[in-house]
Amino acid sequence: MKKVLLNIIGSQSIDDEKDRLELTTIGSIEELENEYVIYYNEEQEPPFSQVHVSVKISKDKKSVEMIRTGAFDSCLIIEKSKRNLCHYGTEYGDILMGISGHEIEADYADDNGKFRFSYDIDLNGALASRNEVIITYKNQE
């Protein structure tokens, strides 16, 4: 497992509105037999505790699994050209969402790399947002 500097950009569009979030943090990455796994933490506003995030990207570029644990847990499974039902934890309870995967890209190297994936979120079958996540890293060791 390598210590890395992560830059994470998440963007979403709903109708004509676009929103973008950017996070730069220290995390780690490891290459396993069939996947790359990225770990990092997100600080939250009080009274909520830190959120631990792991992102697993399959080497065949067919799936991404994003797991968030903390005050509220969630697990999003993004599979290329497939819709999955996933739960997203909030302070008001879990929300069941449809996640339809589009593109998954992985460019892994020892010193730096980039992962990108896009997906749609639907609630009760109605499109809620179109999303893209770009994660770049640089080795810190």
Side-chain angles (χ1 to χ4, degrees):
M1 192 171 326
K2 288 185 273 193
K3 188 175 180 181
V4 293
L5 177 66
L6 294 166
N7 183 258
I8 303 157
I9 299 172
S11 59
Q12 68 177 188
S13 59
I14 304 166
D15 298 324
D16 291 336
E17 295 181 36
K18 293 185 179 182
D19 191 22
R20 176 184 156 127
L21 238 109
E22 188 166 352
L23 170 67
T24 300
T25 188
I26 298 294
S28 59
I29 188 168
E30 67 180 328
E31 180 181 14
L32 302 176
E33 184 177 337
N34 296 316
E35 63 190 3
Y36 307 105
V37 186
I38 299 167
Y39 303 97
Y40 65 94
N41 294 320
E42 292 179 0
E43 297 297 325
Q44 302 294 310
E45 294 291 325
F48 301 114
S49 60
Q50 191 176 63
V51 174
H52 307 285
V53 181
S54 67
V55 182
K56 299 176 182 178
I57 303 106
S58 66
K59 287 185 175 180
D60 63 9
K61 302 175 190 172
K62 290 184 180 178
S63 68
V64 174
E65 181 181 55
M66 295 176 59
I67 300 171
R68 296 169 50 91
T69 57
F72 312 105
D73 297 341
S74 64
C75 178
L76 302 183
I77 298 171
I78 301 158
E79 291 184 278
K80 208 172 193 176
S81 303
K82 188 174 179 185
R83 180 176 181 265
N84 288 291
L85 289 177
C86 302
H87 79 88
Y88 189 84
T90 73
E91 60 186 294
Y92 304 107
D94 283 358
I95 297 172
L96 189 60
M97 305 184 301
I99 306 293
S100 300
H102 297 296
E103 298 177 83
I104 300 172
E105 298 174 7
D107 181 14
Y108 177 85
D110 280 340
D111 291 336
N112 59 54
K114 177 180 176 180
F115 300 97
R116 187 183 80 75
F117 47 95
S118 60
Y119 57 97
D120 291 345
I121 296 176
D122 69 77
L123 301 172
N124 293 326
L127 180 65
S129 65
R130 296 189 181 279
N131 304 270
E132 180 182 63
V133 175
I134 300 170
I135 301 172
T136 57
Y137 67 90
K138 291 182 182 175
N139 195 352
Q140 293 295 290
E141 294 178 344

